[in-house]
Amino acid sequence: MAAFDYDILVIGGGINGCGVARDAAGRGYKVLLAEMNDLAAGTSSASTKLIHGGLRYLEHHEFRLVRESLVEREVLWQMAPHIIWPLRFVLPHHEGLRPAWLQRLGLFLYDNIGGRKRLPPTRVLDLRKHAAGKPLKDGYAKGFEYSDAWVQDARMVVLNARDAADRGAEIVTRSEVIRIERSNGGFVAEIADRATKIGRTVRARLVVNAAGPWVDQVIGLAAGGGKVRNVRLVQGSHIVVPKLFDHDKAYIFQNTDKRVVFAIPYEGDFTLIGTTDRDFSGKPEKVAISEEETAYLCAAASSYLQRQIAPADVIWSYSGIRPLYEAGAASAQEATRDYVLKADGDAETGVMINVFGGKITTYRRLAESVLDLVEKHLGARNPRWTAGATLPGGDFPFDGFEALVARLAAHAPSVAETTIRRLARNYGTKALEILGPESSLGRIVAANLGENEIRYLVKKEWARSAEDILWRRSKVGLRSTPGDVAALTAFLDGERFGSKAATG
């Protein structure tokens, strides 16, 4: 049998790819993950940033997906209590849309089919008296409050990659797979560094194609260039505006087109509004919010809130592509959000496992399902393990965030509390490593980012550019200036981080 460099080549550094790499490395497989851009540069950083069951999926009878998602909420919360925390949602009852009894029934199922243990249950609100009713227009008397959770999506991806690397996986970013050929029961792949154009050839026993919106292109690459269409590309866009309300709850608004839009407290001073849902036919890397989508989101929120929102209020927006499995749904809204796995090939030709769809909430279960298929072809090694294992920095009690903040503040008394909280939310216990024995951020380079934190992000989290740091490793970009971007870029260039970058 031919010698292989790796057991598994994972293509794609989004949440699914990094989740698979982490699970596989922990089970004892030799893993290489290749991502053509930065980690979480695509769909995984363009979500609504929720760990949720998907209340509206009940209407499409996706009960298995909803149940699995609801079970995962508390599993993930305990895995990463620094980047995941509970969030209460207010659903105002809108006369003429879904009847109150149907909403109550849906929320009863939501509370009970997922094994909820620690999250509080649904309750009925009198919006005429409750604080959540004050920002709403007159006429909303009844509402329902229920639980889901919030996640820093891009950080979830990076922490899975970091844990994968710590367990032996090799993670290479800005490295594109440009050739795949089946050979001797496995694969030969050529991977090119997109900056230097230098390529390397590797041999892997099995390939996991988790390329998201580019999954069909990878399938075509392995098939010798043929075009295939297995995914339905659906665009989802979000806008960020100045804070619209003072309480800490989120809203879920129903619209006459049967879609829902969320309005969520965001990064302290802002409100996140999204998402849209429409078919997309262009190149995934060119996706951008349209004027029509911006207007739609502004109108959807304005129809409920006393404060009217206009496109001019938008501070930041982002757009992503959901690579949903094409099953012939009549509209983008009806296309399944469930994941689909397809294994192509056999022991003689080489097996490629293609990953379609999925959502952040179910990424860990998706990875377990992928590894079930891997074991059928490569043989079982270590057992399932991810359900009880924390992500880097998450090794503290799920309800221990305030205690962690106090611990960090005592360690670094000269650092402002707002910065301590940001470090705790981004890094958990790893913030101690950033602050170091000197209990300091080091020299501030830009936008409250110190040398110690920047060096940590480069050496441990694969950051290369100001955009990586300001918008994916953090959301400091919301408060940064062009001068901050220039200063951070100059610092990164001056440090010559090429030889000091993250490895794994």
Side-chain angles (χ1 to χ4, degrees), residues 84 137 139-140 203 223 282 291 318 364 379 392 457:
I84 296 173
K137 289 180 176 179
Y140 292 104
R203 297 181 59 84
E291 292 181 2
Y318 61 90
R364 190 195 65 82
L457 292 174

Side-chain angles (χ1 to χ4, degrees), residues 16 42-44 210-216 230-236 284 320-326 335-340 355-359:
N16 290 337
T43 304
S44 295
W214 295 270
V215 64
D216 278 345
N230 295 286
V231 294
R232 182 175 193 155
L233 301 182
V234 175
Q235 178 173 343
I321 299 294
R322 307 180 190 98
L324 307 180
Y325 186 69
E326 180 56 272
T336 181
R337 268 54 180 174
D338 207 350
Y339 56 83
V340 176
V355 179
F356 305 103
K359 53 202 290 277

Side-chain angles (χ1 to χ4, degrees), residues 3-54:
F4 292 99
D5 306 303
Y6 301 93
D7 294 313
I8 306 170
L9 167 62
V10 179
I11 302 175
I15 189 61
N16 290 337
C18 290
V20 168
R22 173 181 182 247
D23 194 335
R27 296 202 200 194
Y29 296 102
K30 190 174 183 182
V31 179
L32 169 66
L33 181 146
E35 162 56 44
M36 66 179 179
N37 296 308
D38 182 30
L39 297 173
T43 304
S44 295
S45 61
S47 76
T48 312
K49 309 182 192 312
L50 301 178
I51 298 295
H52 69 139

Side-chain angles (χ1 to χ4, degrees), residues 65-78:
L65 173 62
V66 174
R67 183 182 186 282
E68 181 175 280
S69 300
L70 291 172
V71 171
E72 282 296 284
R73 290 181 310 182
E74 297 192 15
V75 174
L76 297 180
W77 178 21
Q78 292 181 76

Side-chain angles (χ1 to χ4, degrees), residues 134-273:
K134 292 181 179 179
L136 300 175
K137 289 180 176 179
D138 294 339
Y140 292 104
K142 178 184 287 186
F144 302 92
E145 182 183 284
Y146 68 93
S147 292
D148 267 322
W150 175 261
V151 63
Q152 298 194 67
D153 52 5
R155 291 212 55 75
M156 173 73 88
V157 176
V158 171
L159 294 182
N160 272 271
R162 183 65 263 165
D163 202 29
D166 290 342
R167 296 174 187 276
E170 181 180 350
I171 311 292
V172 291
T173 62
R174 292 173 168 81
S175 299
E176 183 176 5
V177 176
I178 59 174
R179 181 177 67 90
I180 310 174
E181 292 181 1
R182 284 183 157 90
S183 175
N184 295 316
F187 295 84
V188 176
E190 185 176 351
I191 304 173
D193 185 295
R194 300 188 81 182
T196 65
K197 309 302 181 186
I198 297 173
R200 60 184 286 203
T201 300
V202 300
R203 297 181 59 84
R205 297 176 64 193
L206 181 146
V207 170
V208 175
N209 175 12
W214 295 270
V215 64
D216 278 345
Q217 292 174 226
V218 173
I219 293 172
L221 196 65
K227 288 187 177 181
V228 295
R229 186 169 186 266
N230 295 286
V231 294
R232 182 175 193 155
L233 301 182
V234 175
Q235 178 173 343
S237 297
H238 299 75
I239 58 174
V240 175
V241 299
K243 184 165 65 173
L244 297 174
F245 41 87
D246 293 326
H247 59 76
D248 61 357
K249 303 180 192 306
Y251 291 100
I252 175 171
F253 297 141
Q254 305 172 81
N255 296 311
T256 54
D257 62 1
K258 297 187 177 180
R259 279 203 41 72
V260 298
V261 167
F262 295 100
I264 304 171
Y266 190 56
E267 295 292 322
D269 299 321
F270 310 96
T271 300
L272 174 67
I273 301 172

